[in-house]
Every structure is written in C-alpha cells, then in structure tokens.
Amino acid sequence: MKRKLLYLIVLLLAAASVVHAQEQEPELEAVAADTLERDTLPWPLSLQTRIDRLVEDSLLLYSQMGLKIYDLTTDTCLYDWHATQTLRPASTMKLVTAITALDRLGGDYQFSTSLYYSGTLEGRTLKGDLYCVGGMDPSFGEGDLVTLLDELRRAGIDTIQGRLMADLTMKDTLHWGEGWCWDDDNPTLTPLLIDKKPVFMKRLQRKLTDVGVVLLDGKLGEGRLPKKAVRLATLNHSIDHILQRMMKESDNLYAESMFYQVAAATGAVRPGAKQARQVVDRLVSWLGLNPDAYRIADGSGLSLYNYLSPELEVALLQHAWRKPSIYKHLLPSLPIAGVDGTLKKRMKATAAEGNVQAKTGTVTGVSCLAGYCTAPNGHRLCFSIMNQGTLSISQARRFQDLVCEAMCAPQ
C-alpha cells in the first residue's frame, strides 16, 4: 500500500514538472528571441525591435503615450507611436519657450534692469524722480541692486528730492499665467523682481538709505519712463545665464520671464502671453506644422491648458540642431542623464548616463522627456516621449529611461 502511494506521488510530481516547463516555454522563447534579434538585426531595426517590446508595457493599457525618435544624421524618422497626439507637455513646454526665444532674440540677448532719472542734478542732489525700469530679470538679486546703487553713487548723487518710480511697462499687468492652479507654488509675473520676489521698490527704498543716500521725498510710484530721462546704470544677465537655471532646474519663473521677453520683442504696448504665442505660432508654421493643432498658454508648462505633440517637440529640436546659433546655447542648458539637473538621479550606470541631454516635464498624471542623444553608431538623435494619465510617475519615468537606454546601448 505504501509503495503504491509513493508511486502515485512520484507520478503527480512528474506531471506537474512537465506542465510548469510548458508554461515557461513562451517566456523563455521570448527572451531568447529578443537576445537573438538584438544580436543579429542591423541598425535601426535592432532599436525599433527593442522599442516595439517596450510599448507592450502594461503602463500603456491605462494611460496615453506619444513617442517620436528622429535620426538627425540621416534625416529620417526611426520610430513613431501616436506622435501627432496632443498631450500636456508639463515642463517640456520650456523647450518650446527656449527654442523660440533663441530663434527670435538670438544668443547675445541680455535681460536688463536699469536706473534712470528725470529732472536735474544740482550739485549732489537729484531734483527729480529716480526710475527703475524692469526687464523681468528672474535672476536679479541683492548683490545686483548694490551694483546699480554703486553706479548711482559714482554719479555723485547722495540726495534725492523726488519719487522712486517703477516702470513696469515691459509686460501687461497680469501676475499669473492662464490655466494655473490656485494651489500650486506659482511665481509672480512682474517686470521688477529681486530674489524672485515682487518687492523690488521697497528693497530699493531701504537700500538707498543703507548706503547713505538721503530721500527727501522717497515716495514710491509707478509710471512710464519719460522720453528725456537720463540713464544712470544698467545691470545685465545673458540669455545663457537664464537658460541654465530655467532648463537644468526647471525653474518656472525663469521660463515665464523668457516667454515675456519674446512678447516684448514684438514691440506691442504692454505685451502679454498673446504676443508670445503669436511668435511661437509663426515658428510652428515655418516648421510646416499647423499652429491651430496645438495650445500654447504659458512659457513654463504650469498651465493646464497647454497641449503639444511629440511631433511638434521633435520638429523644434530638429530646427535647433540645424541652426547652430540656437543649438550651441540650448544644448549646454539641458540636464544630462546621471550627471546634473532634473536628470541627475536617472539612468545611472547605463549607456544613457552622460549621453542623454533632455528636458523633463512632470505634473500630476503627466511625465515627459524630450531632447538629444548619440546612438552607438555615432548618429545624433532627437526624441520626445510624452506620458499622460499615469498615476505612477515613477513607472512613466522608468519607461522613458528604458527608451533612452535602447537608443544609447550597443546594438
């Protein structure tokens, strides 16, 4: 009896082993096939095969994704997955702003804050108003204010018999962007900023007293700079200086400031987001795309109303690469995978580390990545990956990282 029972158990275990092996065969075959394909397929079929497998990820069962990869060296599209679909770009909107600004303003553009005076100088006394003309420089700080006031002192002024006036006509009066959430940590959009705060004039008033300038009136006011006003000093920061923080750290105020520089360049009176959008739309049209197919609300990506596509982002990246006057300023500003900025902790110890240079974008339910990399064959690639409707940002980022690794890994 015991022998029969033991024999029956042995037969059952053997049968279970056969079933388990049969269940594992498809998975093992898939792994073997993937290895074989990667080892034998030529470029770019090997890359396309890898990404074909990635887009089978369960992430795409319950969320949207648009993807485009373009070979800049051969001027060919390598991969397209719903690339014309309009999705929320989050902070990859900053790519649109940066490329448009470099295209319109040029790489030598300066963000300026200036001091002027109206009236007359009698001895060491200014009998008139001191004007501060705001250029919406987001990097202007306490040290810059001291530099401006040093110039005022060098002009021999130690007494002001008049008002301290703010010229804020560089942009409209709106202090926020269209479609911004009330509970976000939103920047204040005004042409005169110090340490990223809208307290420039009060800080100026206090600092003048600190450096020994007597204010006989000292009242704060606002108005347009008179035509006959005399310039005392100007503090400039280069567009490269602004781009570094705007792109590496994804600073929203810096991006909005860049957006409004574009608006101001149109020459409109008290320009706003509308004028900046018009410049973006003209560039989109020049690239051969229809601007009516997209929605541009702000320059940073904070707005819920922005809608772009991977096709548009790739077209802009192509344009930047083909135009050295843009590319040489844009590329150094982009975060580098595993090295710095918002990509510092991503793609470490992979072929993408130190290779991928791209702008990230993250808001609730949205994760995007767009930029450049170099393939193992030396070809320069640009790409855009836009994930939307995902509750797991980490899963979306993991998907993006795997795509980047596929582009960079030896084939």
Side-chain angles (χ1 to χ4, degrees):
M1 185 66 179
K2 289 182 179 180
R3 284 186 179 180
K4 289 182 179 180
L5 182 59
L6 181 61
Y7 181 67
L8 181 59
I9 292 172
V10 171
L11 286 176
L12 290 172
L13 288 173
S17 177
V18 170
V19 171
H20 180 70
Q22 290 173 341
E23 289 175 346
Q24 294 298 309
E25 278 181 7
E27 182 179 343
L28 293 172
E29 287 174 0
V31 172
D34 183 51
T35 301
L36 180 62
E37 286 167 339
R38 285 191 284 111
D39 289 344
T40 60
L41 289 177
W43 173 273
L45 290 177
S46 53
L47 170 64
Q48 293 160 350
T49 300
R50 287 185 178 189
I51 299 178
D52 280 341
R53 296 194 179 281
L54 289 175
V55 297
E56 294 172 1
D57 193 294
S58 60
L59 170 71
L60 304 186
L61 294 176
Y62 57 85
S63 64
Q64 297 169 280
M65 193 270 288
L67 165 66
K68 187 166 185 175
I69 301 173
Y70 201 88
D71 189 326
L72 295 163
T73 304
T74 61
D75 197 20
T76 55
C77 179
L78 297 181
Y79 205 92
D80 180 319
W81 176 277
H82 304 304
T84 60
Q85 184 168 254
T86 50
L87 301 164
R88 289 174 59 196
S91 280
T92 58
M93 184 68 214
K94 294 179 175 70
L95 273 173
V96 179
T97 301
I99 293 170
T100 302
L102 288 166
D103 186 76
R104 178 60 187 264
L105 306 174
D108 295 328
Y109 185 79
Q110 301 284 320
F111 288 63
S112 301
T113 306
S114 300
L115 288 183
Y116 287 78
Y117 72 85
S118 62
T120 60
L121 284 177
E122 296 183 10
R124 301 177 69 85
T125 299
L126 167 60
K127 290 190 175 182
D129 298 329
L130 182 69
Y131 277 83
C132 305
V133 181
M136 203 173 178
D137 181 352
S139 67
F140 191 95
E142 186 83 13
D144 298 316
L145 181 58
V146 170
T147 299
L148 282 181
L149 295 188
D150 284 345
E151 291 300 315
L152 180 142
R153 295 295 303 276
R154 270 193 277 273
I157 298 173
D158 64 10
T159 304
I160 298 176
Q161 188 177 333
R163 299 169 297 171
L164 305 179
M165 299 291 291
D167 184 333
L168 305 177
T169 57
M170 179 259 187
K171 70 174 291 292
D172 60 19
T173 58
L174 291 178
H175 287 176
W176 57 87
E178 181 186 9
W180 286 8
C181 291
W182 66 269
D183 57 347
D184 276 347
D185 183 19
N186 298 319
T188 301
L189 306 181
T190 181
L192 276 173
L193 297 158
I194 185 164
D195 296 330
K196 302 178 70 173
K197 298 176 182 178
V199 294
F200 187 101
M201 296 305 290
K202 289 183 179 179
R203 192 82 64 88
L204 171 68
Q205 188 181 48
R206 188 179 72 226
K207 203 68 181 176
L208 281 166
T209 302
D210 290 345
V211 299
V213 175
V214 178
L215 303 177
L216 296 180
D217 182 339
K219 291 181 181 178
L220 302 180
E222 182 182 329
R224 184 180 289 275
L225 182 72
K227 290 184 178 180
K228 293 185 178 180
V230 178
R231 187 172 67 88
L232 285 169
T234 296
L235 194 290
N236 294 320
H237 285 124
S238 70
I239 197 169
D240 287 326
H241 176 77
I242 304 302
L243 279 170
Q244 280 294 308
R245 184 176 176 93
M246 169 182 164
M247 305 299 274
K248 295 279 190 187
E249 306 303 326
S250 202
D251 191 295
N252 294 318
L253 176 59
Y254 278 55
E256 292 301 330
S257 177
M258 188 82 72
F259 192 60
Y260 282 96
Q261 307 298 318
V262 171
T266 64
V269 177
R270 300 303 292 264
K274 177 183 177 180
Q275 284 72 32
R277 289 187 203 114
Q278 289 171 347
V279 178
V280 175
D281 287 349
R282 283 195 289 272
L283 178 57
V284 171
S285 294
W286 189 86
L287 294 173
L289 298 174
N290 180 9
D292 293 336
Y294 312 104
R295 182 74 169 85
I296 308 295
D298 67 10
S300 63
L302 278 173
S303 177
L304 299 175
Y305 301 161
N306 290 313
Y307 278 92
L308 308 180
S309 69
E311 178 183 52
L312 174 58
E313 291 193 339
V314 163
L316 285 163
L317 289 166
Q318 287 175 258
H319 175 63
W321 185 76
R322 291 167 179 162
K323 197 169 180 180
S325 60
I326 297 177
Y327 190 67
K328 69 180 181 180
H329 296 279
L330 177 68
L331 188 66
S333 74
L334 294 174
I336 304 171
V339 176
D340 65 14
T342 54
L343 285 179
K344 186 174 183 177
K345 297 181 180 179
R346 291 174 61 177
M347 299 177 238
K348 282 189 171 292
T350 71
E353 181 177 5
N355 185 338
V356 169
Q357 291 180 258
K359 183 70 199 73
T360 57
T362 307
V363 294
T364 301
V366 176
S367 179
C368 304
L369 186 68
Y372 302 97
C373 67
T374 300
N377 62 358
H379 288 199
R380 196 68 174 147
L381 311 182
C382 67
F383 64 91
S384 171
I385 312 167
M386 303 178 73
N387 293 98
Q388 180 173 290
T390 174
L391 297 180
S392 174
I393 295 299
S394 61
Q395 189 177 0
R397 287 176 176 171
R398 177 58 181 156
F399 173 83
Q400 295 158 13
D401 292 354
L402 288 172
V403 171
C404 288
E405 290 166 26
M407 289 188 287
C408 300
Q411 303 301 313

